Amino acid sequence: MTIDYAEKIPNNVDLASNKTLQRALEQWQPGFLGWWGEMGPDGTASTDVYLRTAVSVEPKGWAHFDYVKMQDYRWGIFLAPADAERKVNFGEHKGEPAWQEVPGEYRANLRRLIVTQGDTEPASVEQQRHLGLTCPSLYDLRNLFQVNVEEGRHLWAMVYLLHAYFGRDGREEAEALLERRSGDADNPRILGAFNERTPDWLSFFMFTYFTDRDGKYQLCSLAESGFDPLARTTRFMLTEEAHHMFVGESGVGRIIQRTCEAMAEHRMDDPPKIRAQGLIDLPTLQRYLNFHFSVTMDLFGADVSSNAATFYSTGLKGRFDETKIDDDHLLAGATYPVFEVHDGRLAVVQAPALNALNEKLRDDYVKDAVAGIERWNKIIDKCGVAFRLRAPHKAFNRKIGPLASVRVDPEGNVVSETDWAQRHASWLPSETDRAFVASLMGRVAERGKFANWIAPPSRGINNQPVDYEYVRFN
Ligand SMILES: [Fe+2]
Ligand SMILES: [Fe+2]
């Protein structure tokens, strides 16, 4: 189905035939645009950006590329195609036809899942609001803006569900999504990582690699939902999410490449010397990696969680690749290993698999995240540099769950409070690290030019050359 861009709210849900819903969303729209103007990318009202827009939900060729002013971006409502035969595939309702309406008894839980997901979308736009002022190139600036408008569209996706299926309290939640602010002391965003700052481009690339990947895993589990509109909405969001993770992986990869090429060329491996060249040394990259990895670990929630069990048993939120898993999809009597703290040590115990679903999703995520770290290591190897980046232990620097009660080093050893105080600066970015990275951030907005600390990409966007004019300032 091709999407009609003559509509005020482009959509593939036949909004025109539901006037009440259409009016409600049209009333929400000015609030959204007000929020975008206030909290979206700073100082971009007259900037033309080479952006992709969804024009269909078919896997091949859904994207259309053209210059757009971001406030005129065609934010719309797109659901992946319906499958009339689709069933609830797990939990107590396994085998029933997938729900087209919200089951009354699950209304509050479903709303909570949708609001929690929805809240992360505007949060990341707020976190990234000032990054455009220090872009390393037009290519990177365009990628930042692409991520920003798509997070805006993801907010639309969740607001559509709230308006269409949750009546008055859904509309109130949709308003509240525009009122909370990342990092605000009085009215913060719901999840911790979304209240952290994204002050520089190294943080941005780490965020899109690690934290947008959490988004992928959350969306994948919601795409299994027995509530079909949620499943179809998140299924389409995943096609956009892939680009966000690409921005992160390639961004960090290009920093590594730039640093390692210089290390090989000048035969230097001393971080102060590397910094003196205006490059980001690998130990600093490792500390940023440790920070973003550990903050993202917490997003998966408590290791053992009765909410997670309820969401699964009632068919609201499945596992990653639920239908590809060969088991009973009920998890009756099954167990799953989790960490507990015994006498100040980490111990692995078996928890009921139903209660350990957050941990299972976290482990699925870790496998995926580690694979990309290995691809970064290949770049290092190719330059002949002896250094390996690695994911810290999943108990490192945790703020949520039982692991929050102990100090754990990146290798997974419990350490004393004194040890932590003495050594954490070698594990997590220090103020000095952050100030150094900040000192490299200067705006490079000349066609085909790149900041000194990052290599150009191997190819451009949508088959355009690397030196294409991806952003035009007017
Ligand atoms: Fe998103
Ligand atoms: Fe994203």
Side-chain angles (χ1 to χ4, degrees):
M1 175 180 178
T2 305
I3 290 152
D4 178 7
Y5 275 88
E7 303 234 26
K8 200 165 176 188
I9 302 171
N11 68 90
N12 71 347
V13 295
D14 195 14
L15 200 54
S17 73
N18 185 341
K19 291 291 173 206
T20 317
L21 177 59
Q22 189 176 30
R23 261 198 305 277
L25 285 165
E26 284 178 2
Q27 273 167 19
W28 185 80
Q29 194 172 34
F32 170 81
L33 291 171
W35 166 81
W36 181 267
E38 186 195 329
M39 296 310 296
D42 201 3
T44 55
S46 59
T47 307
D48 289 308
V49 190
Y50 186 68
L51 293 175
R52 72 173 180 185
T53 305
V55 285
S56 126
V57 292
E58 302 307 322
K60 285 199 175 101
W62 63 264
H64 171 77
F65 283 81
D66 207 349
Y67 285 97
V68 196
K69 289 189 175 47
M70 283 183 281
Q71 67 270 24
D72 300 331
Y73 189 76
R74 304 305 279 138
W75 283 287
I77 299 161
F78 313 123
L79 274 60
D83 167 7
E85 303 296 306
R86 189 165 179 270
K87 300 268 190 293
V88 180
N89 294 312
F90 58 92
E92 293 157 9
H93 300 282
K94 196 180 99 173
E96 293 176 14
W99 309 310
Q100 300 306 324
E101 292 297 329
V102 176
E105 66 271 43
Y106 305 147
R107 199 166 181 281
N109 277 344
L110 256 179
R111 193 182 59 212
R112 180 168 158 198
L113 283 170
I114 292 167
V115 167
T116 307
Q117 177 62 42
D119 192 66
T120 66
E121 315 290 357
S124 65
V125 175
E126 293 166 1
Q127 290 170 295
Q128 295 160 15
R129 168 166 169 70
H130 300 296
L131 287 174
L133 306 176
T134 57
C135 63
S137 71
L138 290 183
Y139 166 90
D140 290 291
L141 185 60
R142 178 258 164 224
N143 283 348
L144 165 71
F145 291 158
Q146 183 73 59
V147 170
N148 292 159
V149 292
E150 285 175 353
E151 301 304 6
R153 205 204 66 74
H154 290 178
L155 172 59
W156 271 95
M158 294 296 110
V159 164
Y160 161 72
L161 294 174
L162 290 169
H163 272 239
Y165 297 96
F166 293 88
R168 174 202 273 268
D169 41 332
R171 291 194 294 278
E172 285 169 4
E173 292 285 10
E175 286 303 319
L177 285 168
L178 296 176
E179 285 159 10
R180 285 185 288 273
R181 290 287 181 271
S182 176
D184 188 296
D186 300 322
N187 196 12
R189 292 293 172 184
I190 297 170
L191 300 171
F194 292 89
N195 289 302
E196 298 282 349
R197 292 177 59 235
T198 310
D200 58 64
W201 280 75
L202 177 55
S203 300
F204 170 65
F205 291 136
M206 289 288 180
F207 184 97
T208 43
Y209 183 79
F210 287 105
T211 308
D212 282 74
R213 190 174 309 274
D214 160 71
K216 167 187 165 182
Y217 279 79
Q218 300 301 337
L219 293 175
C220 281
S221 342
L222 295 174
E224 303 288 345
S225 181
F227 178 49
D228 205 40
L230 175 59
R232 292 173 55 207
T233 303
T234 46
R235 185 68 64 200
F236 185 69
M237 289 162 75
L238 280 163
T239 62
E240 295 166 317
E241 207 59 56
H243 176 70
H244 308 179
M245 290 178 291
F246 160 80
V247 169
E249 179 167 343
S250 58
V252 175
R254 288 161 50 213
I255 298 174
I256 293 172
Q257 192 188 328
R258 178 72 182 99
T259 298
C260 289
E261 281 172 359
M263 287 171 76
E265 190 189 335
H266 303 293
R267 301 182 171 281
M268 57 175 181
D269 51 13
D270 191 22
K273 283 193 186 135
I274 293 162
R275 287 188 175 197
Q277 305 277 320
L279 303 174
I280 303 175
D281 54 289
L282 299 177
T284 299
L285 273 170
Q286 177 70 62
R287 289 191 286 275
Y288 270 70
L289 186 162
N290 289 348
F291 173 76
H292 287 272
F293 183 91
S294 60
V295 165
T296 305
M297 286 290 92
D298 277 336
L299 284 176
F300 291 85
D303 314 30
V304 174
S305 159
S306 57
N307 279 330
T310 304
F311 294 156
Y312 186 84
S313 296
T314 55
L316 306 185
K317 183 180 178 185
R319 289 171 293 178
F320 177 67
D321 274 348
E322 181 69 45
T323 49
K324 293 184 191 149
I325 300 173
D326 183 20
D327 65 10
D328 66 359
H329 303 277
L330 301 169
L331 306 181
T335 60
Y336 193 83
V338 296
F339 282 112
E340 276 181 5
V341 179
H342 289 294
D343 304 326
R345 289 160 175 271
L346 297 186
V348 175
V349 297
Q350 295 294 323
L354 266 180
N355 294 75
L357 285 166
N358 289 342
E359 191 67 5
K360 157 94 173 99
L361 193 61
R362 188 163 19 238
D363 289 341
D364 289 333
Y365 166 91
V366 169
K367 259 183 249 151
D368 192 11
V370 164
I373 295 173
E374 287 311 317
R375 289 190 290 276
W376 290 336
N377 281 330
K378 288 222 174 75
I379 303 174
I380 301 176
D381 290 346
K382 254 196 187 154
C383 297
V385 169
F387 190 93
R388 289 194 74 71
L389 292 166
R390 45 173 66 105
H393 193 274
K394 64 181 176 178
F396 170 72
N397 194 36
R398 293 288 298 279
K399 304 274 193 286
I400 285 179
L403 298 173
S405 67
V406 276
R407 295 294 197 183
V408 178
D409 73 10
E411 277 72 50
N413 307 302
V414 177
V415 298
S416 69
E417 206 51 59
T418 325
D419 253 4
W420 177 270
Q422 279 169 1
R423 296 168 67 198
H424 80 268
S426 62
W427 299 330
L428 290 167
S430 64
E431 283 312 310
T432 320
D433 290 337
R434 291 197 182 276
F436 169 69
V437 172
S439 76
L440 300 181
M441 300 293 127
R443 184 177 173 88
V444 178
E446 209 177 314
R447 234 179 117 162
K449 291 265 165 66
F450 286 81
N452 177 56
W453 49 270
I454 190 165
S458 51
R459 61 174 65 90
I461 293 292
N462 192 36
N463 297 321
Q464 299 291 358
V466 167
D467 66 356
Y468 190 67
E469 192 177 19
Y470 288 105
V471 182
R472 290 179 183 152
F473 309 98
N474 297 302

